[in-house]
mmCIF file of all heavy atoms in Angstrom:
data_model
loop_
_atom_site.group_PDB
_atom_site.id
_atom_site.type_symbol
_atom_site.label_atom_id
_atom_site.label_comp_id
_atom_site.label_asym_id
_atom_site.label_seq_id
_atom_site.Cartn_x
_atom_site.Cartn_y
_atom_site.Cartn_z
ATOM 1 N N LYS A 206 0.846 -1.206 0.000
ATOM 2 C CA LYS A 206 0.000 0.000 0.000
ATOM 3 C C LYS A 206 0.880 1.255 0.000
ATOM 4 O O LYS A 206 0.617 2.227 -0.722
ATOM 5 C CB LYS A 206 -0.908 -0.013 1.225
ATOM 6 C CG LYS A 206 -1.717 1.281 1.438
ATOM 7 C CD LYS A 206 -2.707 1.523 0.312
ATOM 8 C CE LYS A 206 -3.730 2.596 0.670
ATOM 9 N NZ LYS A 206 -3.128 3.893 1.026
ATOM 10 N N GLU A 207 1.961 1.221 0.776
ATOM 11 C CA GLU A 207 2.886 2.356 0.808
ATOM 12 C C GLU A 207 3.534 2.570 -0.565
ATOM 13 O O GLU A 207 3.637 3.701 -1.056
ATOM 14 C CB GLU A 207 3.961 2.124 1.865
ATOM 15 C CG GLU A 207 3.434 2.117 3.293
ATOM 16 C CD GLU A 207 4.436 1.574 4.297
ATOM 17 O OE1 GLU A 207 5.484 1.038 3.867
ATOM 18 O OE2 GLU A 207 4.161 1.669 5.511
ATOM 19 N N LEU A 208 3.969 1.468 -1.179
ATOM 20 C CA LEU A 208 4.611 1.571 -2.491
ATOM 21 C C LEU A 208 3.623 2.055 -3.548
ATOM 22 O O LEU A 208 3.989 2.817 -4.460
ATOM 23 C CB LEU A 208 5.205 0.217 -2.898
ATOM 24 C CG LEU A 208 6.364 -0.284 -2.033
ATOM 25 C CD1 LEU A 208 6.729 -1.712 -2.414
ATOM 26 C CD2 LEU A 208 7.572 0.632 -2.175
ATOM 27 N N ASP A 209 2.368 1.634 -3.411
ATOM 28 C CA ASP A 209 1.333 2.109 -4.328
ATOM 29 C C ASP A 209 1.087 3.604 -4.130
ATOM 30 O O ASP A 209 0.920 4.355 -5.102
ATOM 31 C CB ASP A 209 0.052 1.316 -4.097
ATOM 32 C CG ASP A 209 -1.045 1.709 -5.071
ATOM 33 O OD1 ASP A 209 -0.824 1.629 -6.294
ATOM 34 O OD2 ASP A 209 -2.124 2.119 -4.610
ATOM 35 N N ASP A 210 1.116 4.045 -2.877
ATOM 36 C CA ASP A 210 0.944 5.472 -2.601
ATOM 37 C C ASP A 210 2.081 6.298 -3.189
ATOM 38 O O ASP A 210 1.883 7.459 -3.571
ATOM 39 C CB ASP A 210 0.861 5.709 -1.090
ATOM 40 C CG ASP A 210 -0.436 5.195 -0.479
ATOM 41 O OD1 ASP A 210 -1.397 4.958 -1.242
ATOM 42 O OD2 ASP A 210 -0.475 5.015 0.756
ATOM 43 N N PHE A 211 3.273 5.709 -3.257
ATOM 44 C CA PHE A 211 4.418 6.391 -3.878
ATOM 45 C C PHE A 211 4.302 6.417 -5.404
ATOM 46 O O PHE A 211 5.100 7.074 -6.081
ATOM 47 C CB PHE A 211 5.729 5.700 -3.515
ATOM 48 C CG PHE A 211 6.118 5.806 -2.070
ATOM 49 C CD1 PHE A 211 6.823 4.790 -1.452
ATOM 50 C CD2 PHE A 211 5.773 6.918 -1.310
ATOM 51 C CE1 PHE A 211 7.193 4.885 -0.119
ATOM 52 C CE2 PHE A 211 6.142 7.020 0.020
ATOM 53 C CZ PHE A 211 6.855 5.989 0.629
ATOM 54 N N GLY A 212 3.331 5.684 -5.936
ATOM 55 C CA GLY A 212 3.153 5.633 -7.385
ATOM 56 C C GLY A 212 4.065 4.653 -8.088
ATOM 57 O O GLY A 212 4.273 4.765 -9.300
ATOM 58 N N LEU A 213 4.577 3.646 -7.350
ATOM 59 C CA LEU A 213 5.541 2.714 -7.921
ATOM 60 C C LEU A 213 4.909 1.419 -8.433
ATOM 61 O O LEU A 213 5.566 0.660 -9.144
ATOM 62 C CB LEU A 213 6.613 2.365 -6.873
ATOM 63 C CG LEU A 213 7.444 3.541 -6.348
ATOM 64 C CD1 LEU A 213 8.377 3.073 -5.249
ATOM 65 C CD2 LEU A 213 8.229 4.193 -7.486
ATOM 66 N N LEU A 214 3.655 1.150 -8.060
ATOM 67 C CA LEU A 214 3.022 -0.121 -8.400
ATOM 68 C C LEU A 214 1.714 0.098 -9.152
ATOM 69 O O LEU A 214 1.107 1.164 -9.086
ATOM 70 C CB LEU A 214 2.735 -0.938 -7.134
ATOM 71 C CG LEU A 214 3.918 -1.294 -6.239
ATOM 72 C CD1 LEU A 214 3.435 -2.113 -5.045
ATOM 73 C CD2 LEU A 214 4.976 -2.060 -7.015
ATOM 74 N N VAL A 215 1.300 -0.949 -9.845
ATOM 75 C CA VAL A 215 0.002 -0.957 -10.502
ATOM 76 C C VAL A 215 -0.560 -2.360 -10.369
ATOM 77 O O VAL A 215 0.183 -3.356 -10.353
ATOM 78 C CB VAL A 215 0.119 -0.553 -11.993
ATOM 79 C CG1 VAL A 215 0.986 -1.538 -12.771
ATOM 80 C CG2 VAL A 215 -1.252 -0.418 -12.631
ATOM 81 N N GLU A 216 -1.880 -2.482 -10.216
ATOM 82 C CA GLU A 216 -2.520 -3.790 -10.097
ATOM 83 C C GLU A 216 -2.912 -4.315 -11.466
ATOM 84 O O GLU A 216 -3.353 -3.561 -12.339
ATOM 85 C CB GLU A 216 -3.754 -3.709 -9.202
ATOM 86 C CG GLU A 216 -3.428 -3.515 -7.726
ATOM 87 C CD GLU A 216 -4.664 -3.587 -6.862
ATOM 88 O OE1 GLU A 216 -5.774 -3.306 -7.373
ATOM 89 O OE2 GLU A 216 -4.538 -3.923 -5.663
ATOM 90 N N ASP A 217 -2.756 -5.629 -11.635
ATOM 91 C CA ASP A 217 -3.139 -6.301 -12.880
ATOM 92 C C ASP A 217 -4.235 -7.302 -12.530
ATOM 93 O O ASP A 217 -3.965 -8.353 -11.946
ATOM 94 C CB ASP A 217 -1.918 -7.014 -13.477
ATOM 95 C CG ASP A 217 -2.233 -7.690 -14.795
ATOM 96 O OD1 ASP A 217 -3.127 -7.223 -15.500
ATOM 97 O OD2 ASP A 217 -1.568 -8.705 -15.111
ATOM 98 N N VAL A 218 -5.471 -6.966 -12.848
ATOM 99 C CA VAL A 218 -6.610 -7.778 -12.415
ATOM 100 C C VAL A 218 -6.648 -9.094 -13.187
ATOM 101 O O VAL A 218 -6.616 -9.116 -14.415
ATOM 102 C CB VAL A 218 -7.932 -7.018 -12.602
ATOM 103 C CG1 VAL A 218 -9.107 -7.895 -12.189
ATOM 104 C CG2 VAL A 218 -7.912 -5.728 -11.791
ATOM 105 N N HIS A 219 -6.705 -10.224 -12.433
ATOM 106 C CA HIS A 219 -6.871 -11.552 -13.017
ATOM 107 C C HIS A 219 -8.185 -12.139 -12.519
ATOM 108 O O HIS A 219 -8.418 -12.240 -11.312
ATOM 109 C CB HIS A 219 -5.722 -12.475 -12.580
ATOM 110 C CG HIS A 219 -4.469 -12.229 -13.343
ATOM 111 N ND1 HIS A 219 -3.361 -13.043 -13.251
ATOM 112 C CD2 HIS A 219 -4.130 -11.246 -14.215
ATOM 113 C CE1 HIS A 219 -2.392 -12.569 -14.020
ATOM 114 N NE2 HIS A 219 -2.842 -11.484 -14.609
ATOM 115 N N ARG A 220 -9.043 -12.547 -13.433
ATOM 116 C CA ARG A 220 -10.295 -13.195 -13.044
ATOM 117 C C ARG A 220 -10.160 -14.697 -13.296
ATOM 118 O O ARG A 220 -9.773 -15.126 -14.372
ATOM 119 C CB ARG A 220 -11.479 -12.628 -13.831
ATOM 120 C CG ARG A 220 -11.728 -11.163 -13.509
ATOM 121 C CD ARG A 220 -13.060 -10.688 -14.033
ATOM 122 N NE ARG A 220 -13.299 -9.297 -13.668
ATOM 123 C CZ ARG A 220 -13.816 -8.920 -12.522
ATOM 124 N NH1 ARG A 220 -14.178 -9.832 -11.630
ATOM 125 N NH2 ARG A 220 -14.001 -7.636 -12.245
ATOM 126 N N THR A 221 -10.492 -15.480 -12.287
ATOM 127 C CA THR A 221 -10.326 -16.933 -12.372
ATOM 128 C C THR A 221 -11.585 -17.644 -12.819
ATOM 129 O O THR A 221 -11.574 -18.841 -13.056
ATOM 130 C CB THR A 221 -9.918 -17.491 -10.996
ATOM 131 O OG1 THR A 221 -10.962 -17.222 -10.061
ATOM 132 C CG2 THR A 221 -8.623 -16.837 -10.521
ATOM 133 N N GLY A 222 -12.709 -16.918 -12.914
ATOM 134 C CA GLY A 222 -13.974 -17.558 -13.273
ATOM 135 C C GLY A 222 -14.815 -17.899 -12.064
ATOM 136 O O GLY A 222 -16.000 -18.171 -12.176
ATOM 137 N N ALA A 223 -14.197 -17.895 -10.872
ATOM 138 C CA ALA A 223 -14.937 -18.189 -9.653
ATOM 139 C C ALA A 223 -15.575 -16.916 -9.118
ATOM 140 O O ALA A 223 -15.205 -15.807 -9.465
ATOM 141 C CB ALA A 223 -13.988 -18.796 -8.609
ATOM 142 N N ARG A 224 -16.575 -17.089 -8.243
ATOM 143 C CA ARG A 224 -17.219 -15.940 -7.638
ATOM 144 C C ARG A 224 -16.277 -15.282 -6.641
ATOM 145 O O ARG A 224 -15.335 -15.877 -6.138
ATOM 146 C CB ARG A 224 -18.501 -16.364 -6.931
ATOM 147 C CG ARG A 224 -19.593 -16.795 -7.904
ATOM 148 C CD ARG A 224 -20.880 -17.073 -7.153
ATOM 149 N NE ARG A 224 -21.962 -17.426 -8.061
ATOM 150 C CZ ARG A 224 -23.205 -17.647 -7.664
ATOM 151 N NH1 ARG A 224 -23.520 -17.561 -6.376
ATOM 152 N NH2 ARG A 224 -24.134 -17.967 -8.542
ATOM 153 N N GLY A 225 -16.558 -14.028 -6.305
ATOM 154 C CA GLY A 225 -15.761 -13.321 -5.322
ATOM 155 C C GLY A 225 -14.842 -12.312 -5.976
ATOM 156 O O GLY A 225 -14.913 -12.042 -7.178
ATOM 157 N N GLN A 226 -13.963 -11.752 -5.163
ATOM 158 C CA GLN A 226 -13.059 -10.725 -5.627
ATOM 159 C C GLN A 226 -12.007 -11.322 -6.580
ATOM 160 O O GLN A 226 -11.490 -12.409 -6.342
ATOM 161 C CB GLN A 226 -12.341 -10.078 -4.440
ATOM 162 C CG GLN A 226 -13.250 -9.271 -3.535
ATOM 163 C CD GLN A 226 -13.799 -8.057 -4.252
ATOM 164 O OE1 GLN A 226 -13.100 -7.412 -5.031
ATOM 165 N NE2 GLN A 226 -15.068 -7.751 -3.999
ATOM 166 N N PRO A 227 -11.687 -10.614 -7.668
ATOM 167 C CA PRO A 227 -10.642 -11.119 -8.563
ATOM 168 C C PRO A 227 -9.263 -10.998 -7.911
ATOM 169 O O PRO A 227 -9.043 -10.184 -7.018
ATOM 170 C CB PRO A 227 -10.736 -10.168 -9.767
ATOM 171 C CG PRO A 227 -11.307 -8.907 -9.202
ATOM 172 C CD PRO A 227 -12.257 -9.339 -8.115
ATOM 173 N N VAL A 228 -8.343 -11.838 -8.344
ATOM 174 C CA VAL A 228 -6.956 -11.747 -7.894
ATOM 175 C C VAL A 228 -6.347 -10.483 -8.490
ATOM 176 O O VAL A 228 -6.575 -10.164 -9.659
ATOM 177 C CB VAL A 228 -6.159 -12.992 -8.356
ATOM 178 C CG1 VAL A 228 -4.698 -12.866 -7.942
ATOM 179 C CG2 VAL A 228 -6.783 -14.251 -7.765
ATOM 180 N N ARG A 229 -5.593 -9.741 -7.679
ATOM 181 C CA ARG A 229 -5.004 -8.483 -8.140
ATOM 182 C C ARG A 229 -3.482 -8.526 -7.965
ATOM 183 O O ARG A 229 -2.950 -7.921 -7.031
ATOM 184 C CB ARG A 229 -5.611 -7.303 -7.377
ATOM 185 C CG ARG A 229 -7.097 -7.109 -7.632
ATOM 186 C CD ARG A 229 -7.644 -5.919 -6.881
ATOM 187 N NE ARG A 229 -9.054 -5.723 -7.137
ATOM 188 C CZ ARG A 229 -9.564 -5.047 -8.159
ATOM 189 N NH1 ARG A 229 -8.751 -4.485 -9.040
ATOM 190 N NH2 ARG A 229 -10.861 -4.922 -8.317
ATOM 191 N N PRO A 230 -2.802 -9.245 -8.840
ATOM 192 C CA PRO A 230 -1.337 -9.283 -8.748
ATOM 193 C C PRO A 230 -0.735 -7.926 -9.063
ATOM 194 O O PRO A 230 -1.352 -7.089 -9.734
ATOM 195 C CB PRO A 230 -0.945 -10.325 -9.800
ATOM 196 C CG PRO A 230 -2.072 -10.338 -10.763
ATOM 197 C CD PRO A 230 -3.309 -10.041 -9.965
ATOM 198 N N LEU A 231 0.459 -7.714 -8.569
ATOM 199 C CA LEU A 231 1.104 -6.418 -8.659
ATOM 200 C C LEU A 231 2.200 -6.393 -9.715
ATOM 201 O O LEU A 231 2.909 -7.373 -9.936
ATOM 202 C CB LEU A 231 1.706 -6.047 -7.296
ATOM 203 C CG LEU A 231 0.689 -5.856 -6.173
ATOM 204 C CD1 LEU A 231 1.396 -5.795 -4.828
ATOM 205 C CD2 LEU A 231 -0.134 -4.592 -6.412
ATOM 206 N N LEU A 232 2.341 -5.225 -10.341
ATOM 207 C CA LEU A 232 3.389 -4.971 -11.324
ATOM 208 C C LEU A 232 4.095 -3.663 -10.979
ATOM 209 O O LEU A 232 3.524 -2.779 -10.341
ATOM 210 C CB LEU A 232 2.787 -4.832 -12.732
ATOM 211 C CG LEU A 232 2.280 -6.079 -13.436
ATOM 212 C CD1 LEU A 232 1.438 -5.671 -14.642
ATOM 213 C CD2 LEU A 232 3.436 -6.944 -13.891
ATOM 214 N N ILE A 233 5.338 -3.561 -11.432
ATOM 215 C CA ILE A 233 6.033 -2.282 -11.359
ATOM 216 C C ILE A 233 5.370 -1.291 -12.319
ATOM 217 O O ILE A 233 5.021 -1.641 -13.447
ATOM 218 C CB ILE A 233 7.521 -2.458 -11.759
ATOM 219 C CG1 ILE A 233 8.259 -3.327 -10.738
ATOM 220 C CG2 ILE A 233 8.204 -1.114 -11.927
ATOM 221 C CD1 ILE A 233 8.488 -2.665 -9.407
ATOM 222 N N LYS A 234 5.183 -0.062 -11.870
ATOM 223 C CA LYS A 234 4.652 0.985 -12.751
ATOM 224 C C LYS A 234 5.822 1.552 -13.558
ATOM 225 O O LYS A 234 6.676 2.265 -13.028
ATOM 226 C CB LYS A 234 3.975 2.080 -11.940
ATOM 227 C CG LYS A 234 3.156 3.062 -12.769
ATOM 228 C CD LYS A 234 2.363 3.999 -11.873
ATOM 229 C CE LYS A 234 1.383 4.836 -12.689
ATOM 230 N NZ LYS A 234 2.047 5.735 -13.651
ATOM 231 N N ALA A 235 5.872 1.205 -14.821
ATOM 232 C CA ALA A 235 7.054 1.469 -15.643
ATOM 233 C C ALA A 235 7.434 2.946 -15.677
ATOM 234 O O ALA A 235 8.620 3.294 -15.610
ATOM 235 C CB ALA A 235 6.833 0.951 -17.062
ATOM 236 N N ASP A 236 6.458 3.821 -15.794
ATOM 237 C CA ASP A 236 6.766 5.237 -15.950
ATOM 238 C C ASP A 236 6.858 5.982 -14.622
ATOM 239 O O ASP A 236 6.849 7.210 -14.584
ATOM 240 C CB ASP A 236 5.749 5.920 -16.865
ATOM 241 C CG ASP A 236 4.336 5.912 -16.295
ATOM 242 O OD1 ASP A 236 4.122 5.282 -15.229
ATOM 243 O OD2 ASP A 236 3.449 6.532 -16.906
ATOM 244 N N ALA A 237 6.974 5.233 -13.509
ATOM 245 C CA ALA A 237 7.085 5.882 -12.206
ATOM 246 C C ALA A 237 8.429 6.567 -12.033
ATOM 247 O O ALA A 237 8.538 7.554 -11.303
ATOM 248 C CB ALA A 237 6.877 4.862 -11.086
ATOM 249 N N ALA A 238 9.471 6.031 -12.680
ATOM 250 C CA ALA A 238 10.810 6.608 -12.538
ATOM 251 C C ALA A 238 11.649 6.194 -13.729
ATOM 252 O O ALA A 238 11.367 5.202 -14.416
ATOM 253 C CB ALA A 238 11.461 6.144 -11.236
ATOM 254 N N TYR A 239 12.712 6.966 -13.939
ATOM 255 C CA TYR A 239 13.650 6.712 -15.031
ATOM 256 C C TYR A 239 15.077 6.908 -14.517
ATOM 257 O O TYR A 239 15.318 7.575 -13.500
ATOM 258 C CB TYR A 239 13.407 7.674 -16.195
ATOM 259 C CG TYR A 239 12.053 7.547 -16.829
ATOM 260 C CD1 TYR A 239 10.949 8.223 -16.302
ATOM 261 C CD2 TYR A 239 11.856 6.751 -17.959
ATOM 262 C CE1 TYR A 239 9.695 8.109 -16.872
ATOM 263 C CE2 TYR A 239 10.604 6.635 -18.527
ATOM 264 C CZ TYR A 239 9.537 7.306 -17.992
ATOM 265 O OH TYR A 239 8.292 7.189 -18.561
ATOM 266 N N ALA A 240 16.011 6.324 -15.239
ATOM 267 C CA ALA A 240 17.427 6.586 -14.989
ATOM 268 C C ALA A 240 18.136 6.629 -16.329
ATOM 269 O O ALA A 240 17.706 5.989 -17.298
ATOM 270 C CB ALA A 240 18.045 5.513 -14.101
ATOM 271 N N ALA A 241 19.207 7.384 -16.389
ATOM 272 C CA ALA A 241 20.028 7.444 -17.593
ATOM 273 C C ALA A 241 21.331 6.701 -17.334
ATOM 274 O O ALA A 241 21.836 6.674 -16.210
ATOM 275 C CB ALA A 241 20.312 8.888 -17.990
ATOM 276 N N GLY A 242 21.873 6.093 -18.378
ATOM 277 C CA GLY A 242 23.142 5.385 -18.288
ATOM 278 C C GLY A 242 24.120 5.912 -19.318
ATOM 279 O O GLY A 242 23.759 6.105 -20.485
ATOM 280 N N VAL A 243 25.372 6.136 -18.894
ATOM 281 C CA VAL A 243 26.413 6.687 -19.764
ATOM 282 C C VAL A 243 27.513 5.648 -19.929
ATOM 283 O O VAL A 243 28.071 5.155 -18.949
ATOM 284 C CB VAL A 243 27.000 7.981 -19.168
ATOM 285 C CG1 VAL A 243 28.063 8.558 -20.103
ATOM 286 C CG2 VAL A 243 25.901 8.998 -18.904
#
């Protein structure tokens, strides 16, 4: 939750076909930060 508040994560909703809440696996939010390499 803290990392999500920092804007670093995003949820990827997976539905299994069963009733109830879908599984919400986490991914890195790609555009949350960048770095340059020389």
Side-chain angles (χ1 to χ4, degrees):
K206 173 64 166 58
E207 293 167 351
L208 294 172
D209 183 57
D210 289 343
F211 292 148
L213 299 175
L214 302 180
V215 62
E216 288 186 335
D217 182 28
V218 178
H219 282 189
R220 295 193 178 275
T221 62
R224 291 186 177 184
Q226 293 294 322
V228 177
R229 296 181 179 274
L231 296 168
L232 287 166
I233 294 289
K234 192 172 189 297
D236 64 355
Y239 298 85
V243 181

